[in-house]
Amino acid sequence: MLRTVTTAAAMHAMTAAWRASGDTIGFIPTMGALHDGHLALVKQMQKQAKRTVASVFVNPLQFGPDEDFHKYPRPLEADQEKLKAAGCDALFAPAVEEMYPAGFVTSINPGPLAALLEGTIRPGHFAGVATVVTKLLLQVLPDLACFGEKDWQQLQVINRVVRDLAIPVTVVAASIVREPDGLAMSSRNAYLAPDERARATALSQTLFDSAARLRTGEGVQQVLVSGLEKLTQAGFTPDYFVLADGATLESLDRVTSSARLLAAARLGPTRLIDNVAVV
Ligand code: AMP
């Protein structure tokens, strides 16, 4: 049975009772509009913990002033049905006022990692993410928390924050779940018009092709330039298409064992991100 709670006090009481009876807790923070990518995280936590808690909270702190906070989809009832069908134990769905009551000012600054890539395009984004995730972890106090590799840089930021603040939780990474044509599942895919949806496959295809070319020994600059060209030809406006170290996100000019290709690009009004391991 899925229990929905909207206050931190009720969430605390629920997980305290579970802990008292020896149950481990796996947590899946989300912004809702759930798809199979999110549900894979729920399944992952069900394998590793007795109880699972998902949260749905569209976090205003991680959106810039001109971003899609207001139009972000919020189909809460459909999300509840999906979590129920998946066998999730609890949904934490706080209102903005519960998370950020009047007077809230504290922010978690995740350091230099947060200034790269997504941080150059979305200043303040990762401070917003780090602040909300830290608060959610304190409200739920899970043993494990699962994050998707889809948001690769976010995963690295969260690893950093959890280590730096010694938050007693194990971070679990989950692989990217893709549509049959390769497009990484995302709540924002719903924004794509049919012709854009057809062209959107170019993002993952370019990443896969570029990774394959790098594996054959082709030069990094050549591969990146041609990747950017392919994205542009498909109608994307790329924000970045880079080879970077998977842990530090620093750009690489040669392939290493932790090298990753990361891309962000806009298709019409929709901004998509994706990434792929090279080795
Ligand atoms: P979001 O609701 O977009 O904030 O995502 C919530 C969590 O689900 C984050 O840890 C994401 O990385 C993860 N996630 C979103 N889409 C996918 C996907 N296609 N595959 C794997 N994880 C995903």
Side-chain angles (χ1 to χ4, degrees), residues 29-31 35 37-38 41 147-148 150-151 154 175-177 185:
T30 83
M31 297 206 300
H35 50 66
H38 296 114
L41 272 56
F147 298 86
K150 156 85 177 7
D151 299 279
Q154 169 175 283
S175 316
I176 302 176
V177 178
M185 289 190 182

Side-chain angles (χ1 to χ4, degrees), residues 39-49 146 172-174:
L39 298 177
L41 272 56
V42 174
K43 285 200 194 94
Q44 182 71 43
M45 287 294 87
Q46 286 170 328
K47 279 192 218 150
Q48 295 180 252
C146 193
V172 176

